[in-house]
Amino acid sequence: MLAAKKVVILGDGAAGTIMANKLRMLTHSSETRIVVIGNSKKHYFKPDGVHIPFKLKRYQNSVKPTRFLFNYGVEYIFDEATGIDVSQRTVRLKSGNSTSYDYLIIATGDRFDYNEIPGYIGEARHFYDLQHSLELANILDSFNGGKIVIGPSSIPYQCPPAPYEFTFLLDKYLRDRGIRDKTEIHYTFPLNRVFTMENVANFVNRLFDERGIITHTLFNVESINGLNKTVTSIEGEDVKYDLLIMVPPHKGQKMITDSELAGPSGYIDVDRHKLSYKDYDDVFAIGDATNLPISKAGATAHFESEYLANRIAHEISGNVYDETYNGEVACTTITGAGKAMTLYFSYDRPPRAEFQSKMDYLLKWTSADTYFSGMLRGIM
Amino acid sequence: MAEEIKADKVVDARGSFCPGPLMELIKAYKEAKAGDVISVYSTDNGTKTDAPAWIKKSGNELIKIIDRNGYVEIVMKKVR
Ligand SMILES: Cc1cc2nc3c(=O)[nH]c(=O)nc-3n(C[C@H](O)[C@H](O)[C@H](O)COP(=O)(O)OP(=O)(O)OC[C@H]3O[C@@H](n4cnc5c(N)ncnc54)[C@H](O)[C@@H]3O)c2cc1C
């Protein structure tokens, strides 16, 4: 009997976990070994980060122990990849071990590079991880009016709608506390509109106008001066603030750059339809780790995993799989208190932003449960 | 005859979708020095409006927009 093919997945976040569990359901362990290497003890459902600062959700329900999230038959190794050698088909690990593979799937996500913006550390706040969301909850508690400036500092960043979702919830929170009339909300965005996709930008802009939210477009953050409370853009605009909430600059993992799989940005160029790296048919990247021109979102990781798990399962069992990944994403985004809208799009089909509903908000509200019990498990 | 401008830095963002080309241009701008000429190639339609808007707002100089075969070339000078 032939030895089982070894599929090594680097990264234990949304993409790595969905990929491993989906592939496990499509393959038999006698034919396919699935090994996940990851370095996070807890798996945090990041979309709840827009609710936690307003104490709309208890964070305890948004976190689960990582190692319990893999289906039976997936081998999980708590370790960290320190180098990848695609010519030798090996991955070096922090523990000193190394592992070989027949297929490698890189799902190491991205990281925050605070040092990219002088003055960021200690001055700007954000809600892009659990610790900072909890800190922001305390800061908002003691906020009694003034000028709040919010925005992504640069592009790319995870979940493009998250900053405007947060802003809508902030507007509602300030109204509920009776301090909206004592507060100015300013929204900054790197492009010459308030969102990447034009029709969504127009939609959000209208909602911002209705709520009196002031916008600053073509605003890529250059530096922050905590002494005179000013954020300055590369374009030369200064905006004063009392409270600054800035999505930090994102980069791919340093290990990816060090392994020469990507340039300084750390994001891996993959074939946009096959998700494969360069000419290698045994190396792939999914999730936030790629340089693909689509949202860095769990929803993207979900669609990519569906494609890739099917492709690898077919190949291992000797069958042909002639589908491609076409950039499909479906994403439910908050557009106000109790309102949300679901956007469907792909590489060549922009989303249609027209319909918000309570039902979509309910979908969003319960998404941690759906995520942990269904999506991550690979059954959706 | 049109005068050819020699770019100090060429950003080939062909094949990349919005906002990729603009972000590539901003990255090149950050690394360039005042006086440098930067040229960006893009196949994305949005770049034709996004890049000039950014160049104007950032106080730099838009030298030219050239329609090439299947892509657009935008040439700017870093002023500040
Ligand atoms: C505030 C916020 C709101 C969001 N809202 C939404 C939403 O509504 N919908 C949506 O679809 N998406 C949303 N997202 C985005 C979504 O959470 C991410 O896109 C998703 O987590 C990406 O998955 P990933 O597996 O690629 O990366 P991650 O989830 O970041 O996982 C990467 C994993 O790899 C591990 N790792 C890194 N380096 C190594 C290494 N060298 N060796 C081993 N392991 C390593 C990390 O520890 C991590 O566990 C949101 C994100 C934020 C921050």
Side-chain angles (χ1 to χ4, degrees):
Chain A
M1 210 179 87
L2 285 172
K5 295 278 185 202
K6 184 171 169 192
V7 179
V8 171
I9 300 172
L10 302 183
D12 50 3
T17 310
I18 298 173
M19 180 68 210
N21 288 339
K22 267 195 191 293
L23 188 61
R24 188 66 296 163
M25 286 203 291
L26 296 170
T27 53
H28 194 274
S29 50
S30 63
E31 272 185 348
T32 312
R33 252 183 91 188
I34 303 170
V35 179
V36 176
I37 294 158
N39 64 355
S40 60
K41 291 203 162 122
K42 300 252 167 66
H43 190 122
Y44 167 51
F45 181 61
K46 293 183 235 182
D48 280 348
V50 299
H51 289 112
I52 289 167
F54 307 110
K55 300 192 174 157
L56 293 168
K57 282 197 173 188
R58 290 178 65 240
Y59 78 88
Q60 288 85 347
N61 297 332
S62 313
V63 185
K64 303 262 184 250
T66 303
R67 66 195 170 92
F68 293 160
L69 298 172
F70 295 98
N71 290 349
Y72 180 75
V74 172
E75 299 166 49
Y76 176 63
I77 299 174
F78 182 77
D79 208 329
E80 188 174 305
T82 51
I84 300 169
D85 185 341
V86 288
S87 59
Q88 297 296 318
R89 293 182 156 189
T90 51
V91 177
R92 285 190 308 281
L93 304 177
K94 198 173 178 180
S95 59
N97 296 333
S98 70
T99 184
S100 61
Y101 60 81
D102 294 301
Y103 289 92
L104 178 69
I105 299 164
I106 304 168
T108 43
D110 52 16
R111 68 190 164 103
F112 305 140
D113 187 4
Y114 297 109
N115 294 323
E116 186 99 324
I117 300 180
Y120 187 104
I121 295 172
E123 183 61 15
R125 310 288 163 190
H126 72 82
F127 52 94
Y128 261 57
D129 60 28
L130 181 55
Q131 186 201 328
H132 285 90
S133 285
L134 292 168
E135 283 171 17
L136 188 52
N138 288 333
I139 287 164
L140 285 170
D141 259 352
S142 53
F143 180 82
N144 290 312
K147 186 167 167 185
I148 303 183
V149 176
I150 311 166
S153 53
S154 58
I155 289 177
Y157 61 94
Q158 286 173 49
C159 191
Y164 75 66
E165 292 185 313
F166 177 89
T167 306
F168 288 132
L169 295 175
L170 174 70
D171 173 79
K172 169 79 165 77
Y173 166 87
L174 296 170
R175 285 176 204 278
D176 288 349
R177 281 192 49 205
I179 53 171
R180 180 63 181 94
D181 55 349
K182 289 195 219 152
T183 310
E184 275 181 26
I185 304 179
H186 290 246
Y187 191 82
T188 68
F189 202 76
L191 305 182
N192 54 347
R193 49 187 174 270
V194 293
F195 191 66
T196 45
M197 295 151 177
E198 199 153 357
N199 63 350
V200 180
N202 294 339
F203 189 90
V204 170
N205 212 21
R206 210 176 55 241
L207 300 179
F208 275 177
D209 280 349
E210 282 168 21
R211 289 164 175 77
I213 294 162
I214 301 152
T215 59
H216 303 256
T217 54
L218 289 171
F219 197 99
N220 287 275
V221 178
E222 180 167 63
S223 61
I224 294 165
N225 185 331
L227 284 178
N228 54 24
K229 301 261 172 214
T230 306
V231 53
T232 301
S233 72
I234 293 174
E235 294 77 14
E237 187 179 351
D238 290 332
V239 179
K240 290 241 172 217
Y241 60 81
D242 295 302
L243 172 59
L244 180 64
I245 303 171
M246 270 290 146
V247 176
H250 285 44
K251 280 219 177 109
Q253 303 296 350
K254 191 169 170 298
M255 178 273 294
I256 302 290
T257 305
D258 293 346
S259 303
E260 296 178 4
L261 296 185
S265 78
Y267 291 114
I268 307 168
D269 273 324
V270 290
D271 182 290
R272 67 176 62 161
H273 294 294
K274 296 194 206 128
L275 307 177
S276 51
Y277 167 70
K278 284 194 174 161
D279 295 333
Y280 293 83
D281 57 5
D282 55 356
V283 181
F284 302 87
I286 53 172
D288 293 352
T290 80
N291 212 1
L292 289 175
I294 34 172
S295 299
K296 297 207 176 293
T300 307
H302 182 211
F303 277 83
E304 290 171 341
S305 302
E306 179 73 32
Y307 157 75
L308 194 56
N310 270 291
R311 171 176 164 173
I312 292 178
H314 274 71
E315 256 180 48
I316 289 177
S317 58
N319 292 310
V320 177
Y321 188 68
D322 53 12
E323 301 281 321
T324 52
Y325 173 67
N326 298 315
E328 294 85 1
V329 183
C331 185
T332 302
T333 128
I334 297 169
T335 47
K339 283 195 200 125
M341 115 184 125
T342 301
L343 304 170
Y344 302 92
F345 49 101
S346 64
Y347 290 140
D348 42 31
R349 190 164 37 88
R352 284 169 49 177
E354 29 194 47
F355 185 68
Q356 356 167 32
S357 77
K358 250 198 155 56
M359 190 60 210
D360 282 295
Y361 189 77
L362 197 68
L363 259 179
K364 185 86 185 181
W365 184 257
T366 54
S367 53
D369 299 332
T370 324
Y371 177 77
F372 284 120
S373 59
M375 194 194 274
L376 270 190
R377 291 289 175 184
I379 55 176
M380 289 172 74
Chain B
M1 208 181 85
E3 186 194 339
E4 278 298 318
I5 297 152
K6 177 115 181 50
D8 298 291
K9 189 157 187 142
V10 175
V11 181
D12 188 351
R14 284 176 291 183
S16 162
F17 288 100
C18 163
L22 178 61
M23 292 302 130
E24 292 287 319
L25 176 65
I26 297 176
K27 202 161 77 194
Y29 163 83
K30 283 209 265 184
E31 289 160 5
K33 43 186 197 313
D36 278 359
V37 172
I38 308 167
S39 195
V40 60
Y41 302 163
S42 172
T43 40
D44 186 85
N45 279 337
T47 312
K48 244 180 158 164
T49 45
D50 286 3
W54 182 81
I55 293 165
K56 182 160 179 255
K57 164 115 187 223
S58 59
N60 291 291
E61 185 188 335
L62 173 66
I63 299 181
K64 248 184 193 178
I65 303 177
I66 313 164
D67 272 310
R68 302 251 183 224
N69 200 2
Y71 66 98
V72 64
E73 176 177 358
I74 292 166
V75 188
M76 67 161 274
K77 187 180 204 173
K78 177 165 175 161
V79 175
R80 53 169 287 279

